[in-house]
Amino acid sequence: MPTELWLGGALVAAFVLYALFGGADFGGGVWDLLASGPRKAEQRALIAKALGPVWEVNHVWLILGVVLLFSGFPRAFAALSVALHVPLTLLLLGIVFRGTAFTFRTYDARGDKVQRRWGLVFSVASMLSPALLGMCVGAVVSGDIRVQGLAVVSGFFSAWLSPFALAVGALALCLFAFLAAVYLTAETREPGLQEDFRRRALGAGVAVFLAALGVLVLAREGAPRVWAGLTGSPFALALHAATAVSAVLAFGLLLARRFWPARVAAAAQVGLIVVGWAASQYPYLVVPDLTLQDTSASTATQRALLVALAV
Amino acid sequence: MDLLYARAQMGLSLAFHIVFAAAGIALPLLMVLSDLKARRTGDADYEVLSRKLAKGTAILFAVGAVSGTVLSFELGLLWPAFMGTYGEVIGLPFALEGTAFFTEAVFLGIYLYGRERIPAGLHLFSGVMVALSGAASAFFVTLVNVFMNHPTGFTPTAGGPVDVDPVAAMFSPGWMHQTAHTLLACYQASAFAMAGIHAFVLLRHPGAAFHRKALSVALPLACVTALLQPLVGHQSAEHVAREQPMKLAAAEGLFETQRGVGLSLGGLPDVETGTTRYALEIPKALSLLAFSDPDAEVKGLKEFPRDEWPPVAKVHLAFQLMVGTGGAMALLAGVTLLLRWRRKAWPEGRRVLWGWLLCGPLGVVAMEAGWLVTEWGRQPWIVRGVMRTAEAVTPVQHLAAPFWTFTLVYLFLGAMVVFLLVRQVAGTLPGREPPEREVSHAH
Ligand code: HDD
Ligand code: HEM
Ligand code: HEM
């Protein structure tokens, strides 16, 4: 297998891991914002406890993805950071505020007004970031980013503000919230809290289904290439069948209150969706002008990167 | 105009990031040192200190992590042509930095959340790993800057670099001095800041035993780094004199090529008249320092095309600031070690404490000035000799907007961090409850 395929695979792996771990952290912030009912404070405490030791590690997968992209596929990175300059900048602001607000809140535990304000910043930033991330993904697959030579010729806004891209943003948000709620059911032994998050997971699951339907409908017009990829090859169909099975499974297990297996099924569902996204746009990195092959770095660099990754 | 905003935003982001990066590298070392002291002396105060430092590390590390994330995106958002063309040449150290960072984050999690839950030996080991991987990530990322100063490992062509050798690029000439100098700078800046804080408390509360112990943890590191740094800096200067004569000429404000050149202290270079005024000169010292020969020839700026000059006045002032503050810190370190040697204990006299208080911020000042020397001294190139900064900048317009946004964000975050750290220190003042204060918020 040529080195650029291995690197492409590593890139997809980084995004899957980021969705599974970093995504759930974002989702935790969403539930922090939506905390309600008699156990409001306990819900927030559980979220903070689950996130505390891990969010920085989880964050590394995003950095890994960016580094792989700019050293393995430099031209694609350059094109994306020009075409998506605005949403990526906003995403950065979201990431900055989410991380710092969470840490400030945790390490300055006094329960005063300052601390509560940080909580609000943390949760709002947690909602905006995944939506922006989804919009960027939507723009990449839609085929609306056009590149000639080294220059981006499609402007700085239309690609990520198309209805299709917005729908992908909504899907990403729902998906991460769903994932977080399912994870949280297995983070506590307290039945009341488990019920809270089980109900939230089921609600978010329905939202995921609706958003996915919306993306599918809009894809026909908004992302013809993906539409063809989704419905065309047998491999893609198998992937989507597997995704559907794990989604149904996750739902069933939640209904049956089998929280640990539900967690695995939900993770599989999200992972498969990311892999499905990658498969449907292969061999393109930026549909329809840049492919994995023609943006790739020299073989020596790619080898060195793969060795560095293996370490 | 947009180029200026892009440069300002990059410079600001880095200047902000490096403070937290330095703390992320050095505080874990100080934390492990006080853990070791706690084990050796059985004194619980050192353990309290280590906990405080760990809390500080967690706050600063988080800010370092997010500001570092901003940087890795900004490389593309602001300089797409640089990354699009040279990303493949210099991606390797970035990838390795990622690995080191991953290790650091994992062990920091274990260290912070495992103090009561895992055996003491394992806990100490994870602290050591945090300190080591922090140093490793600084090492790797500094290699990128070494490459930008002196690119190797590829053949430039009109269509971009060919024959790429990423390992050679990673170890471009000068890598040893520059990484050593930067790492020392990180330790020195943090140790001086810590010593300054505790000296401040001790001046107001002379009896505070906790702070005396804290000072005794910070001082050894501060003294050793402050004495080593001028030596390593001198090596760097010799390298720059040989390989990047234009940068040296700018740093010294030297316009005419001469033999037996003196070292100018202070002074304001004026590019219009090609002179440096108001400077004090130590005869023949520059020739001696840079080439180990009092009569050696040193090239002046006029030797080089005018459109390749860096901003001379800025480079000169930044260099003077770094060397001046470095000298002051080395002096204080020398005096402190002398007193310690004569009295067999770390000095606690008011005069010495005042010295440490005043020098507390200088480490950070010197570190920032040093980066300005190497960045401004490289202009107008982003990769010296092959790509100009103006060619690398993004075509996106209205860069003023992100620049001002991030400026505000950094100011706000900086103020918050200071506020939180003040609260941490206030909790240790003798006989005092931490003061409850309100901050005004920007939302
Ligand atoms: C002298 C040291 C030094 C310098 C010059 C830089 N950094 Fe840095 N960086 C570190 C030392 C460091 C560190 C010690 O490893 C940090 C700081 C605290 C921390 O969290 O790790 C870090 C964190 C850090 C992270 C966070 C990783 C994560 O959250 O997963 C990223 C992405 C970068 N850096 C990227 C950069 C880039 C793109 C730089 C220059 C263009 C840069 N750093 C300059
Ligand atoms: C080690 C990795 C580093 C890389 C890859 C890097 C890269 C860059 C780039 C691409 C620019 C913009 C182009 C330019 O103006 O030269 C820049 C500017 C700048 N950087 Fe660095 N830099 C690094 C480290 C640092 C650090 C740690 C600092 C800390 C203070 C720093 C300070 C600056 C400043 C002040 C500028 C603006 C200079 C100006 O006015 O143009 N750099 N750097
Ligand atoms: C006292 C004597 C010192 C001398 C002679 C000296 C010399 C130098 C030189 C020549 C450079 C430019 C290297 C290049 O661009 O390739 C440099 C850069 C730098 N200096 Fe210093 N320095 C001194 C003290 C300090 C101190 C005390 C600090 C900080 C605590 C410091 C921090 C830095 C940093 C962060 C850089 C940029 C990174 C690098 O290029 O290594 N320096 N120094």
Side-chain angles (χ1 to χ4, degrees), chain A residues 99-176:
Chain A
T100 48
F102 179 72
T103 307
F104 290 170
R105 188 179 68 164
T106 311
Y107 287 95
D108 196 36
R110 289 165 188 245
D112 58 8
K113 217 158 52 191
V114 180
Q115 207 188 353
R116 276 198 304 282
R117 292 216 188 107
W118 279 121
L120 187 66
V121 173
F122 160 67
S123 46
V124 170
S126 297
M127 290 204 55
L128 292 180
S129 308
L132 285 162
L133 205 60
M135 282 152 79
C136 291
V137 171
V140 171
V141 295
S142 68
D144 291 341
I145 298 178
R146 301 306 306 262
V147 183
Q148 272 171 15
L150 282 175
V152 173
V153 292
S154 55
F156 305 125
F157 291 97
S158 60
W160 57 280
L161 286 176
S162 72
F164 172 73
L166 290 173
V168 179
L171 175 61
L173 181 59
C174 298
L175 210 55
F176 290 168

Side-chain angles (χ1 to χ4, degrees), chain A residues 2-201:
Chain A
T3 44
E4 72 263 13
L5 281 188
W6 281 103
L7 267 190
L11 199 59
V12 176
F15 284 126
V16 169
L17 289 166
Y18 188 56
L20 288 186
F21 298 110
D25 294 349
F26 281 125
V30 175
W31 296 122
D32 186 282
L33 184 67
L34 300 181
S36 61
R39 283 176 296 273
K40 194 166 163 177
E42 286 88 340
Q43 291 170 6
R44 291 203 165 126
L46 179 64
I47 293 166
K49 184 171 137 256
L51 252 64
V54 294
W55 75 265
E56 269 155 344
V57 179
N58 294 347
H59 189 72
V60 172
W61 303 116
L62 176 65
I63 308 299
L64 185 67
V66 172
V67 170
L68 280 177
L69 196 61
F70 74 57
S71 43
F73 308 97
R75 281 182 49 213
F77 178 70
L80 286 178
S81 42
V82 173
L84 300 175
H85 186 102
V86 181
L88 287 177
T89 304
L90 294 174
L91 173 66
L92 280 181
L93 286 173
I95 289 175
V96 167
F97 275 112
R98 187 197 58 138
T100 48
F102 179 72
T103 307
F104 290 170
R105 188 179 68 164
T106 311
Y107 287 95
D108 196 36
R110 289 165 188 245
D112 58 8
K113 217 158 52 191
V114 180
Q115 207 188 353
R116 276 198 304 282
R117 292 216 188 107
W118 279 121
L120 187 66
V121 173
F122 160 67
S123 46
V124 170
S126 297
M127 290 204 55
L128 292 180
S129 308
L132 285 162
L133 205 60
M135 282 152 79
C136 291
V137 171
V140 171
V141 295
S142 68
D144 291 341
I145 298 178
R146 301 306 306 262
V147 183
Q148 272 171 15
L150 282 175
V152 173
V153 292
S154 55
F156 305 125
F157 291 97
S158 60
W160 57 280
L161 286 176
S162 72
F164 172 73
L166 290 173
V168 179
L171 175 61
L173 181 59
C174 298
L175 210 55
F176 290 168
F178 170 67
L179 198 60
V182 179
Y183 283 3
L184 285 167
T185 56
E187 286 287 331
T188 174
R189 296 189 173 283
E190 214 259 288
L193 271 181
Q194 280 186 336
E195 273 314 298
D196 284 354
F197 283 111
R198 173 171 165 269
R199 245 180 296 118
R200 285 170 171 69

